[in-house]
Amino acid sequence: YGAVFDWEFVEVENDPGYTLIRNAGEDIGGIVRHEEGGAASDTDSLWLSWLAVADMDASLAASNRAGARVLDGPFDEPVVGRLVILEDLDGVSVALSRLSEDGPTDHPVAPGRFVWTDLFTTEPARAERFYEAVAGLEAEPRPEPAPPASRIFRSGGKARAGLVPLFWSKGAPGWIPYVGVTDVDATIRRAQAA
């Protein structure tokens, strides 16, 4: 990823299992190492998408009513705020976060930053109901030429994420984040060379 997106990776002194991802000097994500024998040690690697929620207690109660499984938390993280990691009804991991006062906010789209995330699912109507109830998102039809039943999730009047029916037969449901780049073809060549 460093060669493809010019990211830097910084080990966190007081947390040897966590590495910060930096883009142009700004922290944009992190890498968590699975501990041997830990709860996630038998889980495939994945990019974990985060959804900000207004009321963590209400979101947890809604997720419990819906049948989601809590994988970790809730717990408090400095800067990030209150956090819980859930498995939704399709078995997809997602983090819900109630941001702290000094937590990250909306930022301008810039090269090398995460700019969007789509949930690919075999059950779009069920996923739509789940994320509306649990994360307070509002779904609306995605503009053409999107696949039928695709949605845009909004909160606070802003588009936050997408919902797309899983249209390839060998794929598994999951959140797929997108990274902004200035030249797609050049980025593809860098990825192929890495």
Side-chain angles (χ1 to χ4, degrees):
Y1 293 103
V4 175
F5 300 121
D6 292 324
W7 287 349
E8 298 172 351
F9 302 90
V10 180
E11 299 295 324
V12 176
E13 280 185 31
N14 58 350
D15 189 351
Y18 191 76
T19 302
L20 287 170
I21 302 171
R22 286 202 176 135
N23 178 62
E26 261 188 88
D27 297 340
I28 63 164
I31 299 170
V32 177
R33 285 177 204 65
H34 293 302
E35 291 184 24
E36 194 65 39
S41 64
D42 60 349
T43 304
D44 291 333
S45 295
L46 58 87
W47 286 105
L48 183 65
S49 290
W50 291 34
L51 300 174
V53 297
D55 184 331
M56 181 63 76
D57 292 335
S59 292
L60 277 171
S63 72
N64 288 335
R65 283 191 303 275
R69 187 167 71 115
V70 174
L71 299 177
D72 198 7
F75 52 90
D76 294 309
E77 282 287 329
V79 180
V80 173
R82 193 128 179 93
L83 179 69
V84 66
I85 301 172
L86 301 175
E87 185 177 83
D88 74 10
L89 305 180
D90 280 331
V92 175
S93 297
V94 64
L96 302 181
S97 168
R98 174 67 181 120
L99 299 179
S100 64
E101 292 294 322
D102 56 347
T105 58
D106 289 335
H107 54 79
V109 174
R113 292 196 69 117
F114 293 101
V115 297
W116 189 255
T117 188
D118 274 326
L119 172 62
F120 287 83
T121 177
T122 55
E123 299 288 339
R126 181 175 71 184
E128 181 178 331
R129 289 189 305 273
F130 177 82
Y131 286 100
E132 285 178 335
V134 171
L137 298 172
E138 299 169 359
E140 64 184 43
R142 199 171 195 151
E144 295 294 329
S150 294
R151 299 285 185 261
I152 297 287
F153 282 130
R154 292 186 175 276
S155 83
K158 294 183 179 182
R160 303 294 183 181
L163 173 68
V164 182
L166 192 59
F167 51 84
W168 58 87
S169 61
K170 295 187 181 181
W175 286 96
I176 298 181
Y178 298 79
V179 176
V181 298
T182 55
D183 185 331
V184 172
D185 293 330
T187 304
I188 290 170
R189 287 191 297 274
R190 289 169 72 174
Q192 290 170 334

